[in-house]
Amino acid sequence: MTRRFRESERVDFVVVGSGAAGGVMARELAQAGFGVVVMEQGPRLEAQDFEHDELKYWFNYGITNDPARSPQTFRKTTLDEARPPQAGALLPLTYARTVGGSSVHYAANYWRHHEVDFKERSLHGAIPGAALEDWPITYAELEPYYTKVDWEIGVSGLAGAHPNEPPRSQPYPMPPLPVKSSGVLLERGARRLGLHPFPAPLAIASRPYRGRAPCIHCGFCLGFGCEVRAKGSTLYTMIPEAEATGRCEVRGESYVFRLATSPKGRVTGVHYFDRQRRERFQTARAVVVCANGAETPRLLLMSASSQFPDGLANSSGLVGKHLMLNQGSNSFGVFEHELNEYKSVQVTRVVHDFYNTDSKRGFYGGGGIDARIGRNPAFWTLSGPEGPQWGKAYKDHLRSFPRTMLAAGWTTSLPVEANSVSLDPVLKDSWGQPAIRCTYKDHPDDLKFAAWLRDRADEILAAAGALRVWRKPITETTVGLAMLGTCRMGNDPRRSVIDRFHRTHDVANLFVCDGSSFVTSGRGQPTMTIQALAFRAAEQIARFARRNEI
Amino acid sequence: MAHPTRTRRQFLAHTASGFGATWIAAQWPAIAAVHMHAAAATTNPRSLTFGFLTQDEARDVEALAAQIVPSDDTPGAREAGALHFIDRSLHTWAASIADPFRVGLRDFQAEFATGHPHLTFAAADSQTQVAYLTQVDGTEFFRTIRFLTLLGMFALPSYGGNRDGIGWTLLGFDDTHAYAPPFGYYDRDYAGFIVAEDGV
């Protein structure tokens, strides 16, 4: 059924990126009757291509962007020299480079934003050193699209399970995944402290769902592609449904490096490299960039021309700015009996009692705590409690693996203008295009809140009966797996890149929708909101297209 | 899944049978490729010669690995074949750090020789080795060899280490391709989720 388009054929939409947002965008536009070509720089892999191989995926860039082909540099501030990371380290801005994007290797935690997320500037006022703004949309406007994600992608969970839950119009389509020992213990500890733990909402099938198999509890979610299609990756959900319309072509190994514009300042198509690294061009009526919070601003900046000297859609100067990577914390509890956290999904219980900023703490910040594996076995062994990291004592620590759980804190990042994605002035990728330069230094409140929440996680573990608790230091962020805020949404063209319908303020037929659209960071689990935005944006974009307003 | 399947190969076969003949026919080339890959990985004899390290280097690297995860009442890095994993890594996926690794190893050996003339690290007694490592465990070279040793203990055996799943046995990791609840001690008698009374 997959349609193939000729490059000379003026397709209605080119969607750049096939991940969490691009997959939704492709399906919605194709089902609305439009011709769509999805450009994906990574290859098309399927369930049988994935394996339980930690070395491959965590250390050999099995499906992630890799420094050999796509290098990046990092610096804390604009005064520092930007340098590539050490050999073997993850890139500063890491994502899955494959059809389905990072939805292929995500843990599939699907937290909705709360109502407060959309109006934190109004609630807390200006914060020194940050550009805190309200979103131009509210939770109520987005709620129908969160529900759409629940049902179209398939989210397992329990509605009405805790008092901090944002309002929902529908229950979850599937019950929660079976609880793990870490979930039971988090629930026990949190309840003893008067908190309200609840079953984790996950985009993982807990029973057969729309032709997909349920989870087999193999334990390799985060960092791995699902081998039974139980994860709601767009590779298994939106992409095949888009192709089934007969109006969508997903063009793998097609790396868009420049958006073309006409003298009238409209986008005319995309320049890209094909599998053989030949330069190609696809003509389009409109372009939607869903390339993620790192690659989207990079592409706009790489599309600079005499007409748009600072990059496309960048009259505000804010393309690439306000990068938010989310802080977090790690507290490990060691218990008397086996938990065997390496089995099944990452998370089964969550606490959202500390979601809101509380001015009594003296700093901005909010977050959630979840009970999880931490890492698969090999990765888990790489860091232990303070003290010797080798020898007899370390070997004894290794034996605690099945009795250990992680209580992870997922916390806010304030939008700081200097934190950014920009083009490295020197370093090129293996196609000769400018490398990403990441500039990032956490706002002091981000570090304070992460440390504060880590103490709460420690208390929960202790209340659950942990024999001992050890934790990782809170450190400045140098690697991000979810890149947010770099083409922020807003009503004022001087202070934002896209409008409330994801149209760029500067170019009428250019839209942007992915993590870059975020105005604030949420609490470290952005995929649900990225996809709700994509469903909402697609509906609007289709409406504009039908009215000839693109 | 009523019967947990032990290996990926069995798992794929199981999944395939569950999906029926049409599914197998459609997926067969991919499944066959995976099986051939798995067979190649498991029948490849573990080499006793080295692709990157010299015999002298190998002796010290093995002694180092054996201090990082020592053998006591249970096997350690030596028995897991971490040495062969390290050697193989340095001329395959970790080739980009092979030269710095060699330079670091030479510095490590030279520094040891200053304090212990006529003795190699590998030939020293355990107490001497531990005393020396305590001084140098903050170096980049030590961090690298620790990293490679741990991966050589716990990564897939097809990479040359984790021989017979020794590392996984140490961790208490049961290498099965799929599991069913209950997963651990604490979820065995879980009564089900109840919304707290002060809840909603």
Side-chain angles (χ1 to χ4, degrees):
Chain A
M1 284 262 254
T2 295
R3 170 86 191 267
R4 298 280 162 214
F5 291 88
R6 292 190 313 280
E7 290 182 322
S8 55
E9 195 174 344
R10 188 163 169 258
V11 67
D12 291 319
F13 290 98
V14 161
V15 174
V16 184
S18 65
V24 169
M25 191 64 62
R27 190 196 79 152
E28 291 297 282
L29 292 174
Q31 288 193 347
F34 299 102
V36 180
V37 172
V38 180
M39 295 287 180
E40 168 55 54
Q41 56 170 331
R44 179 76 171 249
L45 301 172
E46 296 293 349
Q48 66 270 13
D49 298 320
F50 301 122
E51 20 179 358
H52 291 180
D53 184 343
E54 289 184 77
L55 191 62
K56 176 176 176 180
Y57 296 110
W58 281 116
F59 304 102
N60 283 335
Y61 315 97
I63 46 172
T64 53
N65 49 336
D66 67 278
R69 281 181 306 185
S70 309
Q72 297 178 357
T73 58
F74 181 87
R75 58 182 183 176
K76 282 186 184 175
T77 73
T78 53
L79 302 173
D80 302 320
E81 191 194 336
R83 295 205 177 114
Q86 282 189 315
L90 287 177
L91 286 167
L93 304 175
T94 284
Y95 57 84
R97 192 176 177 284
T98 181
V99 171
S102 294
S103 77
V104 170
H105 75 165
Y106 64 5
N109 287 294
Y110 267 41
W111 299 4
R112 293 180 177 208
H113 276 187
H114 292 203
E115 290 164 290
V116 294
D117 280 302
F118 299 89
K119 50 187 183 188
E120 290 189 298
R121 171 62 188 252
S122 298
L123 290 169
H124 310 302
I127 292 175
L132 188 63
E133 300 266 9
D134 289 345
W135 293 51
I137 58 174
T138 62
Y139 176 83
E141 283 173 83
L142 204 52
E143 199 286 332
Y145 305 97
Y146 278 125
T147 296
K148 215 162 181 176
V149 178
D150 280 344
W151 289 81
E152 300 299 306
I153 303 284
V155 181
S156 301
L158 180 67
H162 69 112
N164 322 90
E165 181 180 56
R168 322 172 39 93
S169 55
Q170 295 281 329
Y172 288 96
M174 288 177 280
L177 276 294
V179 74
K180 307 207 310 177
S181 284
S182 63
V184 174
L185 291 166
L186 187 88
E187 192 177 312
R188 187 181 295 173
R191 286 228 161 117
R192 282 184 184 151
L193 297 171
L195 305 172
H196 303 85
F198 60 94
L202 298 172
I204 298 176
S206 59
R207 59 171 175 74
Y209 194 74
R210 292 171 69 136
R212 292 189 291 123
C215 178
I216 57 161
H217 314 293
C218 79
F220 286 79
C221 300
L222 179 58
F224 301 84
C226 184
E227 296 169 33
V228 298
R229 304 171 78 246
K231 266 204 303 199
S233 312
T234 54
L235 174 66
Y236 303 139
T237 54
M238 299 292 103
I239 300 280
E241 291 180 27
E243 290 171 330
T245 63
R247 285 184 291 275
C248 177
E249 175 187 346
V250 178
R251 212 171 278 171
E253 294 174 85
S254 297
Y255 165 26
V256 176
F257 64 93
R258 186 176 176 83
L259 305 176
T261 45
S262 71
K264 286 181 179 169
R266 291 174 53 79
V267 172
T268 55
V270 300
H271 295 277
Y272 70 102
F273 293 108
D274 70 9
R275 190 166 307 174
Q276 287 81 32
R277 296 183 172 232
R278 290 175 301 209
E279 274 195 48
R280 312 291 291 258
F281 186 76
Q282 174 66 53
T283 313
R285 199 175 149 210
V287 172
V288 190
V289 184
C290 304
N292 81 39
E295 293 294 350
T296 289
R298 174 174 180 246
L299 178 57
L300 296 181
L301 295 172
M302 279 160 49
S303 304
S305 60
S306 54
Q307 201 177 352
F308 299 101
D310 301 320
L312 199 53
N314 196 23
S315 64
S316 64
L318 294 180
V319 168
K321 305 285 177 69
H322 303 120
L323 175 65
M324 299 176 284
L325 300 176
N326 291 106
Q327 253 295 340
S329 67
N330 289 290
S331 302
F332 295 86
V334 183
F335 291 83
E336 186 184 356
H337 301 288
E338 289 190 349
L339 287 73
N340 299 327
E341 282 307 294
Y342 61 85
K343 299 180 181 181
S344 198
V345 298
Q346 278 277 322
V347 181
T348 57
R349 290 293 181 272
V350 184
V351 168
H352 270 188
D353 293 79
F354 310 112
Y355 197 95
N356 295 358
T357 292
D358 182 349
S359 58
K360 288 200 287 291
R361 293 180 202 136
F363 41 82
Y364 166 91
I369 296 170
D370 68 27
R372 57 169 64 208
I373 305 174
R375 296 292 190 196
N376 297 98
F379 204 138
W380 185 88
T381 65
L382 295 177
S383 57
E386 274 182 52
Q389 299 291 303
W390 56 278
K392 176 86 179 85
Y394 198 71
K395 190 176 177 188
D396 287 338
H397 152 70
L398 294 175
R399 291 185 171 106
S400 70
F401 173 69
R403 294 182 292 116
T404 303
M405 65 171 275
L406 167 62
W410 301 93
T411 63
T412 35
S413 294
L414 278 162
V416 174
E417 189 169 328
N419 289 343
S420 62
V421 170
S422 55
L423 303 181
D424 193 281
V426 182
L427 192 65
K428 307 282 185 224
D429 71 9
S430 74
W431 291 263
Q433 302 300 313
I436 283 179
R437 177 178 61 185
C438 175
T439 307
Y440 202 85
K441 186 174 169 57
D442 303 86
H443 189 281
D445 284 16
D446 300 343
L447 297 166
K448 285 179 197 164
F449 182 76
W452 185 89
L453 193 66
R454 187 178 59 166
D455 289 343
R456 304 293 82 73
D458 291 0
E459 289 163 6
I460 292 172
L461 290 169
L467 301 179
R468 62 174 196 278
V469 173
W470 60 278
R471 49 204 222 166
K472 289 193 182 167
I474 304 289
T475 53
E476 288 188 322
T477 304
T478 54
V479 174
L481 298 174
M483 294 70 79
L484 308 174
T486 46
C487 291
R488 60 178 8 189
M489 175 193 272
N491 293 325
D492 183 347
R494 291 165 306 172
R495 289 159 66 192
S496 57
V497 177
I498 58 170
D499 69 15
R500 60 198 310 278
F501 297 127
H502 296 260
R503 197 199 295 262
T504 58
H505 289 302
D506 301 345
V507 182
N509 66 339
L510 175 61
F511 299 84
V512 168
C513 182
D514 54 25
S516 73
S517 311
F518 282 37
V519 182
T520 56
S521 70
R523 271 71 177 153
Q525 301 295 351
T527 312
M528 174 47 135
T529 298
I530 289 172
Q531 294 193 314
L533 290 174
F535 274 111
R536 179 177 173 275
E539 190 178 291
Q540 288 295 337
I541 293 168
R543 198 167 291 159
F544 293 142
R546 277 192 289 269
R547 290 195 219 131
N548 238 357
E549 292 172 1
I550 57 170
Chain B
M1 192 141 299
H3 305 286
T5 43
R6 298 301 303 182
T7 65
R8 178 189 167 83
R9 189 185 184 126
Q10 289 165 5
F11 166 76
L12 280 168
H14 182 90
T15 311
S17 65
F19 279 77
T22 319
W23 189 87
I24 296 175
Q27 304 298 332
W28 182 248
I31 292 171
V34 166
H35 284 184
M36 283 167 65
H37 170 78
T42 47
T43 54
N44 185 17
R46 291 188 183 93
S47 166
L48 293 176
T49 59
F50 300 103
F52 174 74
L53 298 169
T54 66
Q55 292 289 343
D56 283 348
E57 287 171 335
R59 271 190 285 275
D60 278 354
V61 165
E62 182 165 49
L64 259 159
Q67 286 298 352
I68 291 165
V69 185
S71 315
D72 44 21
D73 52 324
T74 62
R78 192 187 299 274
E79 294 76 20
L83 170 63
H84 292 277
F85 172 88
I86 293 170
D87 176 65
R88 190 171 150 183
S89 297
L90 290 170
H91 65 90
T92 54
W93 66 276
S96 69
I97 59 165
D99 289 338
F101 182 92
R102 176 160 274 151
V103 171
L105 179 58
R106 284 191 186 147
D107 289 348
F108 174 90
Q109 291 169 323
E111 175 75 20
F112 183 79
T114 347
H116 309 86
H118 318 300
L119 194 61
T120 65
F121 180 79
D125 62 42
S126 182
Q127 205 179 346
T128 307
Q129 289 179 345
V130 170
Y132 177 58
L133 289 182
T134 309
Q135 293 167 29
V136 300
D137 67 2
T139 61
E140 188 56 39
F141 169 70
F142 185 84
R143 274 196 292 272
T144 303
I145 194 165
R146 174 186 176 277
F147 172 75
L148 292 173
T149 299
L150 290 170
L151 288 180
M153 282 290 298
F154 305 112
L156 289 182
S158 54
Y159 287 106
N162 194 6
R163 201 165 277 179
D164 304 321
I166 281 174
W168 290 338
T169 304
L170 170 66
L171 287 181
F173 170 71
D174 166 23
D175 174 39
T176 298
H177 203 86
Y179 309 100
F183 306 114
Y185 176 86
Y186 299 94
D187 56 304
R188 209 162 282 164
D189 302 313
Y190 182 72
F193 185 82
I194 298 162
V195 177
E197 282 186 18
D198 69 333
V200 184

